[in-house]
Amino acid sequence: MLTIYDVLRSPLVTEKSNYQVNKLRQYVFSVAREATKTQIKDAIEIIFDVKVVRVNVINAPAKRTRRARSRRLLVRNSGFKKAIVTLVPEDRIPIFEGVE
Amino acid sequence: MKIETETRDDHQVKLIAEIEPEVYEKSKRQAARKIAQTTKIPGFRPGKAPFEVVRRMVGEKALQEEALDILVDEIYPQAIKEAGINPSGPGALEEIVSIDPVKFSFLIPLAPTVKLGDYSSVRLPYEPTPVTDEQIDQFIERLRTSYSTVTPAERPSQEGDMVYLTISGSLVHPEEGKDPSVIEERPLQVMIRPTDQQNEEEWPFPGFARELIGLSADEEKTISHTFSEDSHYETLTGKEIEFQVKVTSVKGVELPEVNDEFAQTLGEFQNMEALRSSIRTGLENNGREEYDRDYYAKLIDMIGADAEVQYPPQMLQEEIDSLLRSLEKDLADQKMDLETYLKVRETDRETFIENEIKPAAIKRLVRSLLMDEVAHTENLELGQQELDASFNETMYELQSSGDFDKLRKKVPSKRLANAVATEAALRALNRRVLERLKAIATGQAEEEASVAQVTPAAEDNPNEEPAAEDTASEQAEASPQDNPEPPKPEN
């Protein structure tokens, strides 16, 4: 059973997400693989006390890389589910770094 | 920015600057940008990470340090300007007094101040000792000796002969347990000079050659001699020494006749007259160079006696370093390094610097400061012509010194040219200053000044900003009198 506290795994801070935060009011999180848009919306609204307009999710695929030392071995990075949450203009998520 | 200054005894200024928080904040942001350029922050291209992200990544402390660094660089020139300090070298950040508000204290070496005394009243007559005929005669005598022809003679030696011998010397009363030998057996050739031409520097002692009169080849003689108290050889003063002499051969010396023919064999001399005059100029030049050096040294010391010179310790340190470097170079020429040299002198680096280098460095520093100041107060400037001449001279010397090719390979030609030009300018200016001082000290300057008052267009008063024509005419006027001495031929 997935509670709302299990849904959000970590905020994603990258150059791109930074842009989205500042210009588009979109906050990017990595979320549990089995989370749905509704669950994500509930989780954000309850935890951060904000109003969510829209949630987009992407299943970021696992990527194959090689191990750096011995070039033979193939290693798989685990994939993850990414959620892009758009808030109403008035609201912000303050713990999101890069904002203040 | 709030600035407090405090002058210290050793000619440095302590400067405390307080920075406004806004300025600090700005420099922090700058620091973050700088850090972002070099640090790898995941999710961001280099230099693209925003301030907050950088701060989270590297931490407040690192950010602060970087910010203070930037701040110091930025405010230092500003602070100096605002405080009206004339620094002689790079100041050092003494400490960061506090962070909130940001407060720095700098230690800045001041430009040296030279308060000249009444140097225009310094008088020192310039009297190089003239070359006497006697000196010329002596010189010719030496020439004759070195051009003499030597023929083996089968007879006891007499005055004027060259005696080849082997010599060894030992102490008559050696100290217990010490090797009595003073001179290892070695060959020697001795010229027996007439009594009126005794050589004061004769080796091993004056009058040695005369002991050999009457000896012929394969004869042996023991000569004992007690070195007087004022002998050159300090270790031997008051000691009696026995010299074992064995003559290998006696040779008669035929000195060439002193006549025009002799003069011609020596080179491009028509007759004796020409030779004599050439010797005279050579000796005069040598003598004058020596005299000049002494004279100027004395003169500057006299000026320095009532001048007040202040300089920061950094300048002294620089001077010491440069002296040490040149010493090291000299030693390297003799295939020695400083450590070995110090060991030979039985001293260590600190005491050596303290006792030998430092006084010399102080003297040199003070001297050069004095000269600068004189140049400044006397308003001495160099014309292009003089600079060119000096440049050529310096270049020529460099080229003839032999290291030039090596140097040219190492140093790019432009830098080399610059260095030579600087050196040349310095030299020319130095010469100019010295001549001016000479003029003052011999009273010439006053005469000139009185002439100048009658005709205001007189030389030696270059304006601060001379017009183009002025400079030209000034040069034309200046150059003949600036070089009263003809270029000295190397002798």
Side-chain angles (χ1 to χ4, degrees):
Chain A
M1 172 63 194
L2 196 68
T3 68
I4 52 168
Y5 298 103
D6 297 326
V7 172
L8 304 177
R9 284 170 55 194
S10 67
L12 279 181
V13 184
T14 65
E15 213 177 316
K16 180 175 180 182
S17 77
N18 196 52
Y19 166 80
Q20 288 173 312
V21 167
N22 289 329
K23 294 278 155 66
L24 310 173
R25 310 187 313 280
Q26 293 176 333
Y27 293 80
V28 186
F29 292 87
S30 142
V31 294
R33 188 168 278 284
E34 56 275 34
T36 62
K37 284 187 178 180
T38 328
Q39 281 170 332
I40 293 165
K41 181 177 174 180
D42 289 348
I44 300 268
E45 286 193 334
I46 291 170
I47 293 170
F48 297 112
D49 192 19
V50 289
K51 185 132 185 35
V52 174
V53 177
R54 188 171 69 219
V55 176
N56 300 47
V57 287
I58 303 165
N59 238 327
K63 286 182 180 172
R64 294 197 303 180
T65 54
R66 282 166 197 275
R67 196 171 270 176
R69 290 273 170 79
S70 62
R71 286 188 271 140
R72 291 268 196 80
L73 251 173
L74 282 174
V75 177
R76 278 174 60 129
N77 288 348
S78 52
F80 64 100
K81 190 176 233 179
K82 182 156 83 176
I84 302 166
V85 183
T86 311
L87 304 186
V88 294
E90 306 85 69
D91 285 340
R92 307 188 303 131
I93 299 180
I95 63 144
F96 229 92
E97 46 280 88
V99 179
E100 49 200 301
Chain B
M1 185 164 29
K2 273 184 245 154
I3 290 175
E4 288 169 49
T5 55
E6 178 192 327
T7 316
R8 304 206 329 184
D9 292 343
D10 55 357
H11 213 62
Q12 298 190 81
V13 162
K14 190 175 171 179
L15 188 147
I16 300 173
E18 197 183 317
I19 317 294
E20 289 86 4
E22 302 90 75
V23 181
Y24 177 49
E25 196 55 39
K26 221 179 95 194
S27 77
K28 248 174 154 179
R29 306 227 156 230
Q30 221 175 333
R33 268 203 298 281
K34 206 171 145 195
I35 291 174
Q37 292 285 354
T38 51
T39 332
K40 212 168 169 193
I41 299 175
F44 292 89
R45 286 173 292 162
K48 297 289 183 184
F51 177 67
E52 289 298 326
V53 176
V54 174
R55 190 168 72 176
R56 252 177 52 103
M57 254 335 260
V58 299
E60 183 74 28
K61 193 96 188 187
L63 197 61
Q64 211 169 53
E65 264 169 36
E66 188 71 34
L68 289 179
D69 264 7
I70 293 176
L71 207 54
V72 166
D73 284 351
E74 195 176 307
I75 63 159
Y76 177 67
Q78 221 177 322
I80 284 179
K81 211 165 140 198
E82 266 180 51
I85 294 172
N86 184 11
S88 71
L93 179 66
E94 194 184 35
E95 57 171 339
I96 297 166
V97 183
S98 65
I99 298 278
D100 189 25
V102 183
K103 235 179 178 180
F104 294 125
S105 82
F106 295 104
L107 211 52
I108 305 164
L110 284 176
T113 53
V114 180
K115 236 185 258 159
L116 289 175
D118 187 11
Y119 69 94
S120 53
S121 68
V122 170
R123 288 286 177 272
L124 186 65
Y126 181 78
E127 296 158 336
T129 36
V131 178
T132 56
D133 282 342
E134 222 171 279
Q135 277 171 305
I136 297 176
D137 285 340
Q138 265 177 21
F139 193 84
I140 291 180
E141 206 51 47
R142 275 211 297 282
L143 271 181
R144 276 180 69 194
T145 322
S146 55
Y147 278 85
S148 57
T149 45
V150 182
T151 46
E154 298 292 328
R155 53 177 167 74
S157 62
Q158 58 190 37
E159 219 173 73
D161 278 352
M162 190 71 102
V163 182
Y164 292 77
L165 50 91
T166 53
I167 184 171
S168 63
S170 54
L171 287 168
V172 177
H173 307 292
E175 279 172 46
E176 277 298 314
K178 283 207 177 168
D179 188 11
S181 159
V182 185
I183 305 167
E184 302 272 323
E185 188 165 320
R186 50 172 281 193
L188 181 72
Q189 40 176 305
V190 178
M191 170 98 189
I192 304 178
R193 296 170 190 276
T195 1
D196 55 334
Q197 285 178 15
Q198 277 310 321
N199 183 357
E200 285 301 313
E201 313 260 294
E202 192 176 337
W203 192 88
F205 58 88
F208 173 74
R210 299 208 59 84
E211 300 275 351
L212 301 173
I213 292 181
L215 293 181
S216 45
D218 292 335
E219 258 185 272
E220 288 183 30
K221 188 176 179 184
T222 307
I223 304 164
S224 57
H225 175 77
T226 309
F227 281 88
S228 60
E229 292 296 334
D230 54 351
S231 162
H232 294 307
Y233 310 103
E234 281 166 23
T235 48
L236 297 180
T237 46
K239 300 226 171 100
E240 194 184 358
I241 291 190
E242 246 173 30
F243 296 99
Q244 309 285 342
V245 175
K246 182 166 190 256
V247 176
T248 27
S249 64
V250 177
K251 285 179 184 173
V253 176
E254 265 174 61
L255 296 179
E257 293 265 327
V258 179
N259 54 19
D260 291 354
E261 216 170 287
F262 173 61
Q264 275 159 14
T265 58
L266 289 179
E268 305 282 307
F269 303 111
Q270 287 293 313
N271 49 28
M272 225 31 226
E273 214 38 53
L275 179 63
R276 283 189 84 92
S277 76
S278 152
I279 290 173
R280 180 181 287 274
T281 32
L283 285 178
E284 253 171 21
N285 279 335
N286 274 355
R288 188 159 52 200
E289 254 173 54
E290 218 164 276
Y291 183 79
D292 270 359
R293 236 193 338 267
D294 288 354
Y295 178 81
Y296 287 135
K298 226 193 272 172
L299 193 57
I300 290 183
D301 284 347
M302 275 168 80
I303 293 170
D306 48 280
E308 226 176 275
V309 183
Q310 276 184 316
Y311 50 85
Q314 284 90 334
M315 279 183 95
L316 183 60
Q317 192 55 43
E318 252 170 53
E319 195 69 39
I320 288 176
D321 286 347
S322 89
L323 272 181
L324 267 183
R325 262 200 306 279
S326 66
L327 177 68
E328 260 170 27
K329 206 172 148 251
D330 286 352
L331 289 176
D333 287 345
Q334 298 167 29
K335 302 216 162 40
M336 225 202 241
D337 60 9
L338 193 60
E339 302 305 316
T340 330
Y341 177 69
L342 291 179
K343 221 174 255 171
V344 172
R345 300 281 307 269
E346 286 175 354
T347 155
D348 61 74
R349 201 179 169 93
E350 272 76 38
T351 43
F352 178 68
I353 289 179
E354 191 61 35
N355 295 339
E356 310 210 10
I357 301 281
K358 204 170 167 193
I362 290 177
K363 213 164 166 188
R364 249 176 62 163
L365 181 62
V366 167
R367 234 174 235 183
S368 69
L369 288 177
L370 280 173
M371 298 230 324
D372 282 354
E373 187 61 19
V374 170
H376 194 67
T377 29
E378 285 286 320
N379 240 340
L380 295 181
E381 278 175 15
L382 290 170
Q384 189 63 40
Q385 237 171 359
E386 275 173 78
L387 277 182
D388 285 351
S390 179
F391 180 81
N392 288 339
E393 199 181 308
T394 317
M395 205 68 183
Y396 177 73
E397 261 172 47
L398 240 175
Q399 275 166 346
S400 54
S401 75
D403 299 340
F404 189 67
D405 282 338
K406 236 190 283 167
L407 209 64
R408 199 161 49 182
K409 265 177 213 151
K410 251 191 268 168
V411 188
S413 60
K414 193 160 179 196
R415 274 223 345 249
L416 186 65
N418 271 342
V420 174
T422 326
E423 169 77 18
L426 268 177
R427 269 195 204 191
L429 192 62
N430 266 355
R431 204 177 319 153
R432 188 88 189 261
V433 169
L434 289 177
E435 268 154 26
R436 178 73 192 158
L437 282 179
K438 187 166 106 184
I440 291 171
T442 49
Q444 264 175 33
E446 268 180 16
E447 288 163 33
E448 273 173 33
S450 55
V451 175
Q453 274 168 6
V454 184
T455 52
E459 24 56 292
D460 247 359
N461 285 322
N463 297 324
E464 282 297 311
E465 44 215 337
E469 310 136 42
D470 276 354
T471 337
S473 65
E474 197 180 278
Q475 274 166 23
E477 248 177 288
S479 43
Q481 66 122 85
D482 278 325
N483 284 322
E485 297 159 29
K488 297 155 190 160
E490 294 290 318
N491 205 335

